[in-house]
Amino acid sequence: MNNKLVVAIVILLSVSVFAWLVDYGWTHRYGSPQTYELRSSSQLAIHYNSEQLDLNSDVASDEVWRNLPGIEVGLHHQVTEQPWPKSVTPIVSVQAFHNGTDIYFKMTWQDDLPNSEVSVDSFADGCAIAVPLDVNAPPSSIMMGFTSPVNIWHWRADKDVEYWEKKEYVRPANADFTYPFEQEEILSVTNAPLETAVADLVAKRAGSLTDKPIQAVQGRGVWSDGKWTVVFKRALITDDAQLDCQFPWRRRLAAFAVWDGDQGNRG
């Protein structure tokens, strides 16, 4: 065989292999590509019940939930968060009711280990409810307010322990969201007084998630027998329709999320 032909074939093969390696590396730079199954939405009926829940009591076994309808929401990991996690909580069960003044949501999911501490390499369990501010907002707005502002209620297990059990949790000084000498400063910045175990947030576009000036949502979580139960409570209608989602007597869109700290879920 002609030497020039051999050299050309070797060069062609080398370039082809190099191009394939570059393409493979770029495609898999954040992990293996994922396939997502489109799921149809479910309808959660929110009935009237005259009960007013005391979140100081055992919210997990309260009788008010026993005969209420509920739905099971299938979950998949957030496609915009990379690298993609290796595992995900598959299902969260959701129930809700109102008493004419307040609305309550109950989220229940399986979790073998409760995680209520946050440090550089450990993360807290959590869950959230997201509701667009505009009752006519498209479904796409639920994802961090891409097309319309969204109100997000974010419960975290570490905040729950601090608020309800009054356990002061001293975070490591090298955590990226704390200032180690905060308690010695005259004006507190990062350690604001904890008003609730639920962060009441608003997002008007990607990257704009912000705590609301008035925290209007309460919530409490209980872990028992390999399962988290979290109850959210808020007024049906608030005075601030610009930042709070409202619950008039009509259908509303909502999304639900769960974080498993033991599996590295965060963000």
Side-chain angles (χ1 to χ4, degrees), residues 5-231:
L5 180 60
V6 172
V7 171
I9 292 175
V10 170
I11 293 175
L12 181 61
L13 287 175
S14 300
V15 171
S16 299
V17 171
F18 178 76
W20 179 83
L21 289 174
V22 170
D23 179 72
Y24 183 88
W26 180 260
T27 304
H28 294 75
R29 66 192 186 281
Y30 295 120
S32 300
Q34 302 293 308
T35 300
Y36 297 94
E37 177 185 353
L38 293 177
R39 298 188 179 100
S40 59
S41 60
S42 301
Q43 181 170 306
L44 175 65
I46 302 178
H47 293 295
Y48 172 82
N49 190 304
S50 60
E51 295 289 334
Q52 184 170 357
L53 292 188
D54 181 6
L55 298 185
N56 285 293
S57 63
D58 187 358
V59 299
S61 61
D62 200 294
E63 293 295 322
V64 69
W65 302 105
R66 188 175 302 277
N67 297 317
L68 286 178
I71 59 173
E72 290 191 340
V73 180
L75 303 176
H76 58 71
H77 40 258
Q78 174 59 271
V79 296
T80 61
E81 285 295 321
Q82 296 174 329
W84 293 305
K86 295 181 180 179
S87 63
V88 67
T89 301
I91 292 175
V92 58
S93 299
V94 183
Q95 293 174 284
F97 78 92
H98 74 91
N99 59 15
T101 302
D102 298 316
I103 188 168
Y104 298 85
F105 287 91
K106 177 183 175 184
M107 296 177 62
T108 307
W109 69 96
Q110 297 293 324
D111 189 345
D112 294 335
L113 183 68
N115 304 101
S116 57
E117 294 187 358
V118 177
S119 65
V120 173
D121 56 359
S122 63
F123 311 96
D125 294 330
C127 66
I129 302 173
V131 182
L133 296 179
D134 183 358
V135 295
N136 297 313
S140 59
S141 67
I142 297 179
M143 186 182 289
M144 304 306 294
F146 276 2
T147 59
S148 180
V150 63
N151 189 193
I152 298 174
W153 308 348
H154 184 195
W155 171 89
R156 277 179 26 184
D158 58 327
K159 297 295 185 182
D160 195 285
V161 169
E162 287 187 61
Y163 182 77
W164 291 105
E165 300 181 24
K166 308 303 179 185
K167 294 181 179 179
E168 184 177 357
Y169 175 54
V170 180
R171 293 182 173 85
N174 57 353
D176 63 0
F177 52 84
T178 60
Y179 173 51
F181 307 106
E182 175 73 15
Q183 303 300 336
E184 302 174 15
E185 297 290 338
I186 298 176
L187 299 176
S188 176
V189 177
T190 62
N191 289 342
L194 194 62
E195 303 175 358
T196 172
V198 179
D200 191 2
L201 309 164
V202 65
K204 297 185 177 181
R205 60 187 179 279
S208 68
L209 190 64
T210 307
D211 287 285
K212 291 172 50 273
I214 298 178
Q215 297 290 291
V217 185
Q218 286 289 347
R220 187 170 192 180
V222 175
W223 184 90
S224 178
D225 298 327
K227 180 174 66 176
W228 270 114
T229 299
V230 177
V231 174

